[in-house]
Amino acid sequence: MPQAPLPSGSDAEPTELLRTIVKDQRLDAAQAWLEEYPPHVIADELARMDAVDAGVAFRLLAKDRALDVFEELKPVVQQQILEGLRDRSFRDLVEGMEPDNRARMLKEAPAKVVKRVLAGLSPNERRMTSALLGYPDGSVGRFMTPETVALPQDLTVEQALRTVRRKGADAETVYTLPVVDSGRRLTGIVELRELVLNELDTPVSDLVVTEPAYAWATDSAEAAARLMRETNDLNLPVVDSEGRLVGLFTIDDAVEVIEAADSEDVARQAGAAPWAGHYMAATVWQLARYRALWLSLLLVAATLTVGVTQAFEATLEQVAALALFIPMLIGAGGNAGAQAATACVRALAVGEVRGSDLLRVIWRECRVGLVLGSLLAALGLVVGTVFVSADIALVVGITLVLICGWAATIGGAMPLLAKRLRIDPAVVSAPMVTTLVDATGLIIYFLTAKAVLGV
């Protein structure tokens, strides 16, 4: 029996771009396009468009789909959409949002947008949103949903299911059900699956996981998300300083947190400021501005290399052949350092390495660098002998061993030192390590040449 074809609203790339349809003012075609594709595809197309065209397209969405699409957008795009909506549509949209999504949007919004959003909310939604905004920026309290179904610990399965049916429509998720005592302190969790599969007269206390993973509301959202990945939980209970349940951190929000953190680390490692919006919607000037500062700082730092070369100018004049191998040596050292830094930043991010592991990491990376340097030195000896002479080749070989060992040590140590100093490890990773190793690598090269060649 042949398989049915994929629906038109699948993840396949659209055959015609929404922005092209809107720019051509074919509004009927745009409306048909919006009805064909799922919310996440529509959100991606809106993020690629300028603010005016995105606003036109969004207003063509049916009311029941507009909210689903809106919650798929990043906060910066959400703000652009809101600014173009009239009061009634504006209120309907922000009122229907999940409180955690609304709080994340307001975190980056101008004061006038925040004021307008809060003024348009019902008292209950305003209270929940204000409570989430009261938690520290980047904490799991900002990302959790306060709309949960909490079960008293003395219920039976039948009573628990009735509670879920009564309150579940107002909750973001009912798959994980926190169990609390009379003071709303978390005592455990029970999965909806367990309630459905057990007899109605079974006490909920018999099904409760009494020592679940949980997070304090002020904990880092990234740390909580990575904890969920380790424990394979779909939802993580969040408690206040007294152990009272305040919400659930859901898997969809955890995935977004990890994606945002990884995107920021990649940008930092490449020597650029992280960009909050969609790459395709950014102007050339915006992208250049986000990269210019770091490139300027690295250019200034690179003057160390010029200074080192100038300091050993006399050595270069005596043995001009040494200059031939400078690009190869600083390239090898820079790459070795960047590899070590990248590996350590990742290990820090996923919890495989802690700040207390600094000396172990230094010892490990130093040995790795020496091994790599020895392998490269064997090649360097051959190249140096063929193109110049055996004595220059010996200098190159020794330098490769020393530079790679030093570069890997620096690359492994800097992220951990940055962590101890409460600096983002990604900020001092690959580009900064490469620049530092370039300058110090030349010092190693010229000192080795002086020792071996006697110049």
Side-chain angles (χ1 to χ4, degrees), residues 24 62 65 109 112 119-120 124 147 156 171 173 200 253 273 307 335 345 348 360 365 403 424 436 451:
D24 293 343
R65 302 199 73 202
K112 63 177 183 180
N124 185 52
E147 297 177 313
T156 64
T173 179
L200 295 178
D253 292 328
N335 289 335
V345 167
L348 274 171
R360 294 179 62 192
E365 288 295 340
I403 281 182
D424 185 351
L436 177 62

Side-chain angles (χ1 to χ4, degrees), residues 203-220:
V204 169
S205 57
D206 291 351
L207 309 176
V208 171
V209 177
T210 55
E211 295 184 1
Y214 65 91
W216 302 101
T218 53
D219 285 348
S220 159

Side-chain angles (χ1 to χ4, degrees), residues 289-325:
R289 180 165 57 89
Y290 273 77
R291 300 175 188 177
L293 176 61
W294 269 106
L295 286 177
S296 301
L297 292 174
L298 293 173
L299 182 64
V300 172
T303 57
L304 291 171
T305 304
V306 177
V308 171
T309 305
Q310 189 175 26
F312 288 92
E313 187 176 0
T315 303
L316 280 174
E317 287 177 353
Q318 293 182 53
V319 187
L322 290 174
L324 297 175
F325 296 94

Side-chain angles (χ1 to χ4, degrees), residues 30 33 81 88 113 122 205 258 273 295 326 401 419 450:
W33 192 102
I81 297 294
R88 178 60 184 272
V113 175
S122 64
S205 57
I258 291 179
L295 286 177
I326 289 178
V401 175
K419 186 76 171 179
K450 291 172 72 74

Side-chain angles (χ1 to χ4, degrees), residues 159-190:
Q159 293 170 324
L161 288 173
R162 281 206 300 265
T163 302
V164 172
R165 293 190 189 101
R166 188 174 69 254
K167 298 181 178 180
D170 296 326
E172 183 172 334
T173 179
V174 294
Y175 298 114
T176 300
L177 301 164
V179 179
V180 296
D181 62 16
S182 57
R184 202 174 168 77
R185 284 182 290 273
L186 181 70
T187 60
I189 61 169
V190 63

Side-chain angles (χ1 to χ4, degrees), residues 58-78:
F58 187 82
R59 285 192 287 273
L60 294 174
L61 283 165
K63 184 178 179 180
D64 58 341
R65 302 199 73 202
L67 180 59
D68 293 336
V69 172
F70 191 78
E71 292 203 320
E72 293 284 348
L73 295 169
K74 292 186 176 181
V76 65
V77 185
Q78 289 176 332

Side-chain angles (χ1 to χ4, degrees), residues 36 39 81 86 103 277 291 293 330 357:
E36 180 179 1
I81 297 294
R86 296 185 179 182
R291 300 175 188 177
L293 176 61
I330 63 175
D357 294 323

Side-chain angles (χ1 to χ4, degrees), residues 194-253:
E194 296 298 324
L195 299 182
V196 172
L197 294 179
N198 279 276
E199 298 296 331
L200 295 178
D201 58 352
T202 304
V204 169
S205 57
D206 291 351
L207 309 176
V208 171
V209 177
T210 55
E211 295 184 1
Y214 65 91
W216 302 101
T218 53
D219 285 348
S220 159
E222 183 182 351
R226 298 197 185 279
L227 173 61
M228 289 178 68
R229 187 174 65 179
E230 292 174 6
T231 58
N232 296 317
D233 287 329
L234 288 176
N235 302 285
L236 189 71
V238 182
V239 299
D240 64 13
S241 58
E242 297 181 7
R244 291 189 297 260
L245 178 75
V246 290
L248 280 178
F249 187 36
T250 57
I251 187 63
D252 57 327
D253 292 328

